[in-house]
Amino acid sequence: MLTKDRLIRLCGARDQLRNVGYAEVSIDEVAKSAAMSRFHFVRQFKTVFGETPVQFRTRMRLDQAKHLLIQSDDSITDICMAIGFSSLGSFSSLFSQRLGQAPSMYRQKFKQSIEMFSPDCMVIMRGAWENDSQISRSAVASE
Amino acid sequence: MKIKLNGIFVDDQQKALDFYTNILGFKKKQDIPVGEFRWLSVVSPEGGDTELSLEPNANPAAKTFQEALFEQGIPITAFEVDDLDAEFRRLSDLDVAFTTEPTSAGEVTYAVFVDTCGNLIQIYQLGSE
């Protein structure tokens, strides 16, 4: 039986595993903070979340990569390093395998679609930024 | 007005499809690519045509909602079964984690398990002792 206390500890461990890249902590440390042996932690994590801690972390890395590819102009090498991969080759290979396209293609495809189909709030915010910058430019011009 | 479609958020659609078909025994109904996600739904093999949509929790609001319910031990939805004890044994044998064993509540007996996709699911049997 999965007790509420154990469920909460596993959720806390999942939160820690979401921190990918420079802030990553080892699986052993996460298990320790969940007050379980590594063996028991891995087994319980898989039962509750359907994947091992390593598989979960890999999925989080790829999610973060997708986010950075769309939201930033960082190079793919920088993104690869920022999410905790040490090799561009292994990152690109895994990304292509899971997402069905290379990181560069993913960026090209989804960045365009986001620019074409910005949600209303983004349009409003963009309008606010443009107004702000016009106001700033007017202020500078009048000085 | 009819209820033909219900939906739950899942943290990974492929993982959800595996669990809801291979473990729970539902059948895939819709699987249509939508951008990087899918319009994915399952139905019960025991009849009825109500679909359960397995929706990605990519929206931060959905993720926050889903995780809050999960951590508080609140099931996101409930499925009716004919024999709760048999279903409890079957799912336990498949290594499904239960947070509540079969429990009587008057006219209903219920149990709660983890769906491996970020949700607690209640199963219940009507009219049991």
Side-chain angles (χ1 to χ4, degrees):
Chain A
M1 184 62 55
L2 181 64
T3 63
K4 187 168 184 182
D5 171 61
R6 178 153 292 181
L7 184 71
I8 288 171
R9 280 189 277 137
L10 287 166
C11 288
R14 180 180 59 175
D15 290 343
Q16 288 186 60
L17 289 167
R18 283 205 177 105
N19 291 324
V20 297
Y22 306 115
E24 279 184 15
V25 290
S26 72
I27 303 295
D28 283 338
E29 287 174 280
V30 178
K32 193 175 174 184
S33 71
M36 296 181 210
S37 70
R38 182 189 170 103
F39 173 80
H40 201 59
F41 170 65
V42 170
R43 192 171 180 281
Q44 284 270 296
F45 193 94
K46 187 166 190 329
T47 301
V48 171
F49 298 117
E51 55 199 338
T52 66
V54 170
Q55 288 169 334
F56 177 80
R57 174 170 275 168
T58 300
R59 189 159 64 81
M60 291 303 100
R61 284 175 171 171
L62 293 177
D63 279 354
Q64 181 69 2
K66 288 192 290 184
H67 174 77
L68 291 171
L69 285 166
I70 293 172
Q71 299 290 336
S72 80
D73 293 318
D74 296 348
S75 73
I76 291 173
T77 304
D78 286 346
I79 290 172
C80 160
M81 299 300 166
I83 59 169
F85 281 87
S86 54
S87 150
L88 182 60
S90 59
F91 165 62
S92 295
S93 170
L94 185 67
F95 192 96
S96 302
Q97 183 193 329
R98 296 283 177 88
L99 278 298
Q101 55 203 319
S104 55
M105 287 298 294
Y106 181 91
R107 168 174 266 171
Q108 194 179 351
K109 187 174 168 185
F110 286 101
K111 208 159 186 168
Q112 273 177 358
S113 63
I114 279 190
E115 282 165 3
M116 284 169 67
F117 301 109
S118 297
D120 287 351
C121 59
M122 292 292 284
V123 174
I124 291 165
M125 285 166 72
R126 190 184 300 153
W129 293 329
E130 284 169 359
N131 285 340
D132 278 353
S133 59
Q134 281 169 6
I135 291 165
S136 301
R137 281 197 295 273
S138 306
V140 170
S142 64
E143 281 176 359
Chain B
M1 194 177 290
K2 298 174 183 173
I3 299 175
K4 302 278 280 186
L5 176 69
N6 196 0
I8 58 170
F9 292 114
V10 296
D11 65 3
D12 182 286
Q13 287 186 295
Q14 184 55 50
K15 196 171 64 167
L17 182 61
D18 291 343
F19 184 84
Y20 280 80
T21 55
N22 297 333
I23 304 294
L24 296 191
F26 292 147
K27 292 197 298 189
K28 185 167 74 174
K29 174 78 172 178
Q30 307 280 356
D31 189 357
I32 302 165
V34 182
E36 64 172 305
F37 300 111
R38 297 148 76 177
W39 173 249
L40 185 62
S41 70
V42 293
V43 292
S44 168
E46 296 174 24
D49 55 358
T50 302
E51 293 180 43
L52 179 72
S53 171
L54 306 172
E55 302 180 33
N57 70 353
N59 185 312
K63 192 174 286 185
T64 301
F65 170 71
Q66 188 191 25
E67 290 184 3
L69 290 186
F70 189 72
E71 291 180 24
Q72 289 176 42
I74 300 170
I76 193 92
T77 193
F79 304 133
E80 186 179 324
V81 297
D82 293 332
D83 185 339
L84 186 74
D85 288 332
E87 201 63 45
F88 173 73
R89 283 194 301 274
R90 184 184 78 82
L91 293 175
S92 296
D93 288 346
L94 292 170
D95 211 20
V96 172
F98 277 80
T99 59
T100 306
E101 290 181 336
T103 303
S104 179
E107 294 294 311
V108 176
T109 309
Y110 69 94
V112 178
F113 65 83
V114 176
D115 77 347
T116 73
C117 306
N119 302 303
L120 293 171
I121 302 293
Q122 185 179 81
I123 47 176
Y124 65 92
Q125 180 183 345
L126 293 172
S128 55
E129 294 280 317

